[in-house]
Amino acid sequence: MFTKRNIYLKHIPRKEEGMAMIVALVFVMVAIALLSTLSVQIINQNLQQNRYSDYRDTFWGVVSAIQESKSSIEIGGDGLIGVESWTPSYNSNNEPILPSFDDPSVTPRTLASDPTVQYFAIAIPWENDNFDNNGDGLVDDISEVDMVTIYALAQKNGTVRRLEVITDSNDVNVWRNAIFAGDGQSGNVINGNVSIHGSVHVLGNNLLPGNPAITALDLSGTALIHNNYQGVPGILQQRVPPLPTTVFDGETVETINAKLRVKRGLVGLSGNSEIGEPHVPGNGWKETMDGTFVNDGWTGNQTIPDGGRGIPKNVFSDNGWNELYDLGNRVGFPRLTDDWREPNGSRITNPNTGNPYSFQDYFSQVLLADPVIPNDGVFNGNLVLNAKGNKIFWNATTGTYLNGSLPASLPPDDHDYIWFDPTTNVLRINGQIRINGNLTFTGGGNDRTINYSGKAAILVFGDITIDSDLVTCNNGNPNNFQNSFPVNNIIGLMSSNNMFIGNTSQCDIMGAFYAQNMIKISKQTDIMGTIVSSYFDMGSQVPNIYQVPALADNLPYGMIANYPITTLQQVGWRELGL
């Protein structure tokens, strides 16, 4: 029996059945083609994504290599990372021939976060690479001394990236400033009017955060921070070397290379105060600051409130005014209990404890030690050097103390001594001296000048007061003072407590001055050198402080914090081709 459906199927032509199969096959082939295309696209996208991931990850490899190389150089290393040794060589285009990952001298390091990323770095100091890096026609000249090029390479799964970074090496030692201020009080670090020619570095660690009334550096009235010696009294400028020069805006100009750094706390600008000056072509000196780095911002009536860090009106700096503090925790305030550091930065172990000597212990137990004379170098009691007073002689090496008379001749060069003759206003100093008491320099009327010769570091466990002129001369001759500071003559005064300068008179003083607590400067005192203290009281009569760039390289042996703190600042970079 036939149903309607069977009758219908019975009458379908065989030609139409073939067409249906062809159509179905076409659809299948199209589907396969689409799936194949999609699969290829997915595979390519996956490969591209992996390639991009490898390219991205190798960037973190070269960044790590650069940072490790910089850190190596900053602590006195050679900057080679993952490379045993390397001698610079160049191709015909004067490009360095860099080693590859399969070079025998290369043992690449790996990222801790991704061990499949390998990297290494090499560093080339410009000063001794026998190449004219800056294109001035001179090979390894003085302008190349602080420059270093770092090359970094990283690879992952066959992807390689290469970076070239040019850095400028800088010593940010505390003595490379006019003022270095440490923790400060809870309310301020530097207050009062002050005229500063040179760098200022303020840590402000004890300042209370977020209080707009706090100013780390309050410049009021006609206070200023400048980058040149304009206004320096001639009687002081004749005693110091000429300032270094630099090329700025196409001109060769004198400069102190001054920078302002404030790690914590606001900078207050009021009245006519200013930081740097507007650039004026043709005058022979640099007006603008080399750099300004302030974390918390600006305050005072010369600052425009903007709901944030403020906009200062009178800041003239090569990098503007909005850069943040750039040294992290590299620089701390030096304390007498810190480790002793040699001028090359090395520590010295105390054989009795197995630990590094502290500064005060090494100064007292080693520098002043004598196997015959107990407490060699230690003067117990207050010491007053009065331009209108008695002759004073203290030989720390022999333990000889005279008050009212002097020996017939100076002690030998290997003795530590103070030799003071008020009749000629001459102070001769040498070596290292420790005073358990207060130290005072004083005078009166027209007889208040003390001319000193020699080099000495004097550590005072008490207060230091300077109420006299304290200036340098050559070979004990007050009339011979040209270029007398600081190469051959410099006094380094260190107080465990406070230092008071110019309380009763307007003084001219020259030296390196450190107080673990406070330095107070009164009157219109002129200071040629560097002052380092936890905080400063500048009073209201605008003292003047003039940095001497050569001071940090000529400190007397025994001065606190007399060692380099090297930082590399990036001045340019580019990615090199494969």
Side-chain angles (χ1 to χ4, degrees):
M1 184 176 183
F2 295 99
T3 63
K4 292 181 179 180
R5 183 173 182 271
N6 290 336
I7 295 172
Y8 176 76
L9 291 174
K10 183 178 181 180
H11 293 282
I12 295 177
R14 292 187 177 274
K15 185 177 181 180
E16 293 183 10
E17 290 180 0
M19 288 298 297
M21 291 181 65
I22 293 174
V23 170
L25 181 60
V26 169
F27 275 109
V28 170
M29 294 178 66
V30 170
I32 292 173
L34 290 174
L35 288 174
S36 298
T37 302
L38 183 60
S39 298
V40 170
Q41 186 175 1
I42 292 173
I43 292 172
N44 287 336
Q45 287 179 344
N46 186 56
L47 291 173
Q48 186 176 12
Q49 182 176 350
N50 291 338
R51 183 83 173 184
Y52 172 78
S53 297
D54 293 344
Y55 190 72
R56 177 199 61 202
D57 294 344
T58 52
F59 180 77
W60 298 121
V62 291
V63 169
S64 295
I66 292 292
Q67 293 303 320
E68 290 184 30
S69 181
K70 289 173 63 177
S71 297
S72 168
I73 296 170
E74 288 175 347
I75 61 175
D78 56 14
L80 296 180
I81 303 299
V83 180
E84 294 181 6
S85 63
W86 186 74
T87 302
S89 60
Y90 299 86
N91 60 23
S92 59
N93 295 323
N94 291 328
E95 298 169 336
I97 302 173
L98 303 177
S100 60
F101 280 89
D102 56 3
D103 190 290
S105 66
V106 174
T107 305
R109 299 185 181 181
T110 59
L111 283 180
S113 58
D114 185 355
T116 63
V117 177
Q118 296 180 318
Y119 62 86
F120 68 88
I122 58 176
I124 305 177
W126 289 13
E127 62 179 326
N128 56 13
D129 65 350
N130 298 315
F131 188 73
D132 177 18
N133 292 278
N134 57 8
D136 62 359
L138 301 174
V139 174
D140 297 344
D141 62 313
I142 191 171
S143 64
E144 298 182 353
V145 167
D146 296 324
M147 305 300 293
V148 178
T149 298
I150 300 174
Y151 294 97
L153 287 82
Q155 71 170 0
K156 180 180 180 181
N157 296 328
T159 298
V160 178
R161 295 184 75 170
R162 307 189 307 164
L163 281 186
E164 177 190 60
V165 174
I166 298 175
T167 64
D168 186 5
S169 173
N170 293 284
D171 182 6
V172 291
N173 176 289
V174 300
W175 296 106
R176 296 194 183 276
N177 299 278
I179 288 181
F180 183 90
D183 297 337
Q185 295 174 305
S186 60
N188 60 69
V189 176
I190 301 174
N191 70 338
N193 276 348
V194 60
S195 174
I196 303 168
H197 294 249
S199 293
V200 177
H201 193 160
V202 178
L203 298 181
N205 294 328
N206 286 344
L207 296 182
L208 300 175
N211 188 339
I214 295 173
T215 55
L217 178 64
D218 190 0
L219 300 175
S220 56
T222 57
L224 54 86
I225 301 176
H226 281 180
N227 196 11
N228 50 64
Y229 271 177
Q230 298 309 299
V232 177
I235 194 66
L236 296 180
Q237 191 164 357
Q238 293 175 60
R239 287 173 158 85
V240 301
L243 285 177
T245 60
T246 188
V247 176
F248 183 76
D249 195 28
E251 298 178 315
T252 299
V253 292
E254 291 185 342
T255 179
I256 310 177
N257 298 311
K259 300 179 179 68
L260 169 64
R261 288 185 168 98
V262 181
K263 185 176 182 180
R264 185 173 183 181
L266 301 175
V267 176
L269 287 171
S270 300
N272 295 318
S273 60
E274 64 183 15
I275 296 173
E277 308 166 88
H279 172 53
V280 178
N283 58 16
W285 61 85
K286 191 171 187 290
E287 299 89 358
T288 58
M289 300 288 287
D290 279 20
T292 299
F293 309 90
V294 177
N295 264 355
D296 291 353
W298 310 82
T299 188
N301 60 32
Q302 291 300 311
T303 297
I304 301 171
D306 64 349
R309 301 175 66 247
I311 303 173
K313 295 181 180 179
N314 297 325
V315 175
F316 307 95
S317 177
D318 295 349
N319 68 339
W321 53 266
N322 209 24
E323 293 288 331
L324 301 181
Y325 184 77
D326 61 333
L327 297 181
N329 296 320
R330 288 282 296 156
V331 185
F333 179 71
R335 299 189 177 279
L336 301 178
T337 53
D338 289 347
D339 291 348
W340 167 270
R341 303 285 291 272
E342 288 289 300
N344 64 4
S346 63
R347 295 172 171 83
I348 297 180
T349 300
N350 184 337
N352 298 320
T353 65
N355 298 316
Y357 278 103
S358 69
F359 173 84
Q360 60 189 15
D361 286 347
Y362 190 82
F363 193 99
S364 302
Q365 298 174 19
V366 179
L367 296 186
L368 306 182
D370 189 291
V372 178
I373 304 170
N375 298 318
D376 170 42
V378 177
F379 183 91
N380 291 302
N382 298 329
L383 185 62
V384 178
L385 305 180
N386 189 340
K388 299 179 67 175
N390 293 333
K391 298 177 179 179
I392 297 292
F393 176 72
W394 166 244
N395 188 323
T397 304
T398 63
T400 303
Y401 173 60
L402 301 176
N403 187 344
S405 62
L406 294 171
S409 61
L410 290 174
D413 291 343
D414 60 351
H415 283 210
D416 304 322
Y417 61 83
I418 294 174
W419 190 97
F420 177 59
D421 186 354
T423 60
T424 58
N425 296 102
V426 170
L427 168 66
R428 308 294 292 265
I429 54 175
N430 193 64
Q432 299 85 34
I433 303 290
R434 171 173 168 169
I435 298 173
N436 290 340
N438 299 324
L439 173 62
T440 300
F441 301 84
T442 189
N446 295 324
D447 193 4
R448 63 173 195 175
T449 299
I450 297 176
N451 303 276
Y452 74 86
S453 290
K455 302 183 76 168
I458 302 177
L459 175 59
V460 177
F461 280 87
D463 291 336
I464 296 175
T465 300
I466 305 175
D467 272 335
S468 68
D469 294 329
L470 187 62
V471 295
T472 52
C473 65
N474 294 311
N475 301 315
N477 182 358
N479 296 318
N480 180 0
F481 53 78
Q482 292 287 338
N483 201 25
S484 57
F485 180 83
V487 176
N488 296 313
N489 308 284
I490 181 172
I491 192 168
L493 298 178
M494 299 171 284
S495 168
S496 67
N497 195 30
N498 300 316
M499 186 178 297
F500 304 94
I501 299 175
N503 288 335
T504 60
S505 59
Q506 298 173 347
C507 303
D508 293 327
I509 71 170
M510 308 180 74
F513 307 99
Y514 166 88
Q516 191 163 248
N517 189 35
M518 177 194 71
I519 291 180
K520 181 175 182 179
I521 304 175
S522 304
K523 308 298 182 180
Q524 291 180 339
T525 298
D526 293 325
I527 299 175
M528 202 87 189
T530 298
I531 53 177
V532 177
S533 184
S534 182
Y535 68 97
F536 295 86
D537 184 351
M538 298 298 185
S540 59
Q541 297 192 37
V542 194
N544 302 296
I545 303 169
Y546 306 102
Q547 180 186 349
V548 180
L551 179 143
D553 296 318
N554 292 280
L555 290 166
Y557 185 65
M559 280 302 291
I560 192 169
N562 181 16
Y563 59 91
I565 303 176
T566 303
T567 64
L568 294 184
Q569 295 182 333
Q570 184 172 306
V571 296
W573 77 278
R574 62 172 178 158
E575 184 163 3
L576 303 175
L578 298 179

